[in-house]
Amino acid sequence: MIGSDGSAADIEFDGVRKVYDGGEVAVEGFDATVEDGEFVTIVGPSGSGKSTLLRMIAGLEEITDGDIRIDGESVRGVAPQRRGIAMVFQEYALYPHMTVRKNMAYGLKLTTDLSADEIDERVEETAAMMGIEDLLDDKPAQLSGGQQQRVATGRAIVRDPQIFLMDEPLSNLDAKLKVHMRTELQRLQEDLGTTTIYVTHDQEEALTMSDRIVVLNEGELQQFGTPEDIYERPANEFVADFIGSPAMNFFDVELDGATLTGEGIALDVPGGVADRVRSEASASTLRLGIRPEDIDVVDPGDGVATATVDVVENAGSDNYLYLDLAGAECRVRVPSGVKPALDAEVGVDFAASDIHLFDDATGHNLLLTDDGRHLVGEREQPA
Ligand code: ADP
């Protein structure tokens, strides 16, 4: 068994590549190191290679090229049940004819030489920790979705793995329960300290749960960083667009002296920004990104642009405004008190310190320096 000392493990991905039999490249040149005890989420659109990556760690898929090492040891040639891993799936895959107790004990019986009494003790301890001790003699069909989810998680925990792999484990739950289980899983992971890799297509889940996030697109790593890194300092336009809801706004602009100009937009930027853009950008067209919450609605004529109000959406504590800015949609998140009339003309204002600028050809964030800092403004900087 890899690293069988019962503690958490680190996971190193070294140039991992996966090509399926049909020639489909699912994962390409993936490099990353997940630290001992970390909660890392892999997020990306459908088909981006998230499950493939997880299944390669688990040993359910062969690695085509490169290697995955757990605590420094290659997983190649190591059978799935000897990798110190427990998985929780979207389909809980509970055995319907077995009680909760038997479902939880089954894996232990197969993979350990614990006695029946020891197994029973561990199952009861884990059930208590998960708050399902009263359900031990029920069958899965008698349980609610949330309870089934807890049993599936409990069944993974009882094996005391070094690594949890979770593939969209909450996606079958209703919205409220999902938010609750998110917190519950997070707390559990913190208490257990077990290295966890969690796959989701839900960027909000990724932002709220993780120590660090892997963003994948078309099998390639886009960025690996803390939720703050990913949100405040996206590496490229894909990450900026994928993370955040409502999504970041993008406008085509050009640099004219130290002013960014586009359809209906004029924004002065610091000289340092202008210099950097001139030296780094591969084309004259740039993509200006601004998050909906970084925009203020002001009087027409004030601000950096003028727009008309298309839709006002009430989102509880906030309103989402959908504006027409010279033919482009501009999403704005404002406090619920701000409620301009439909078709009204409004000013759109944002600070140069809040913008993101992307190379139109490569998608790269032009304002990120090599040491991961953001070039302008009072934006949060890494320590
Ligand atoms: P995700 O989990 O992000 O939705 P997957 O890892 O399931 O993505 O899939 C990545 C790519 O690999 C997709 O293009 C998918 O069609 C392909 N793929 C996944 N599983 C197989 C398979 N068993 N055989 C062939 N191609 C597959």
Side-chain angles (χ1 to χ4, degrees), residues 20-22 24-26 44-53 61 199:
Y20 281 106
D21 290 344
E24 176 89 37
V25 180
S46 178
S48 56
K50 306 182 293 295
S51 299
T52 300
L53 209 45
E61 289 292 348
V199 160

Side-chain angles (χ1 to χ4, degrees), residues 30 61 106 132 196 238 309 351 378:
F30 186 80
E61 289 292 348
Y106 191 66
I132 51 172
T196 301
F238 175 84
V309 179
E378 303 90 50

